[in-house]
Amino acid sequence: EMNVESFNLDHTKVKAPYVRLAGVKEGTNGDKILKYDIRFCQPNKEHMDMPALHSLEHMMAEFSRNHSDKIVDISPMGCQTGYYIAVINHDDYEDILTIIEKTLKDVLEATEVPACNEVQCGWAASHSLEGAKDIARNMLAKRNEWTEVFA
Ligand code: HCS
């Protein structure tokens, strides 16, 4: 067993896209952080390119918080196949799916990427609104598959 939950996941056995609970941490006062693996791309078969992944991160980070005040973070995986979303005190998988669905629908409606400038972002040149929309569109088209993690 390795320390990182994902290192114990057999990436050859999963079937993207899916949304999977990847960890729960409880604090000393009973607050709970839940971490979900949102997998957009089949591991080692496909991946998102960086500008599109980066713009989708900005949009999911910004828009998801209009649908929930429980979001702690949405950040990309280095393998470029998905994101982690961490929430606090929100133990409702179906509602997480709803938040993701609403957020991706917002992405399709967006006319610009929020905060893609050198003041607000660390690599403002690396963005693609249209690329991010393509990823969101493909993910939404497979909404009925999100709950199935393994083939
Ligand atoms: N992933 C961050 C935004 C970084 S630009 C967040 O808060 O969700």
Side-chain angles (χ1 to χ4, degrees), residues 57-58 61 65 72-75:
E57 181 209 5
H58 275 222
R65 287 159 165 113
V72 175
D73 183 44
I74 298 187
S75 287

Side-chain angles (χ1 to χ4, degrees), residues 54 57-58 60-62 64-65 71-76 84 115 120-122:
H54 187 194
E57 181 209 5
H58 275 222
M60 289 198 298
E62 182 65 19
S64 63
R65 287 159 165 113
I71 313 282
V72 175
D73 183 44
I74 298 187
S75 287
Y84 287 107
Q120 293 177 288
C121 176

Side-chain angles (χ1 to χ4, degrees), residues 1 4 29 37-38 47 51 61-62 66 108 113 117 130 132 136 138 150:
E1 282 284 293
V4 176
N29 296 310
D37 160 358
I38 313 178
H47 64 271
E62 182 65 19
N66 294 331
L108 297 184
V113 178
N117 60 72
E130 288 311 314
N138 290 334
F150 296 99

Side-chain angles (χ1 to χ4, degrees), residues 3 16 48 93 118 142 151:
N3 290 326
M48 295 171 269
Y93 175 72
E118 292 190 8
K142 296 183 173 175

Side-chain angles (χ1 to χ4, degrees), residues 40 55-68 71 74 85 96-114 128-130 132-141 146:
F40 285 76
S55 293
L56 188 60
E57 181 209 5
H58 275 222
M59 290 191 276
M60 289 198 298
E62 182 65 19
F63 303 157
S64 63
R65 287 159 165 113
N66 294 331
H67 302 298
S68 173
I71 313 282
I74 298 187
I85 174 170
I96 295 294
L97 301 182
T98 302
I99 292 165
I100 296 167
E101 181 179 357
K102 286 179 178 170
T103 299
L104 293 176
K105 285 179 172 165
D106 294 340
V107 170
L108 297 184
E109 300 300 316
T111 54
E112 60 179 14
V113 178
S128 170
L129 175 61
E130 288 311 314
K133 287 188 181 195
D134 287 343
I135 297 167
R137 202 175 292 113
N138 290 334
M139 188 68 171
L140 284 166
W146 292 4

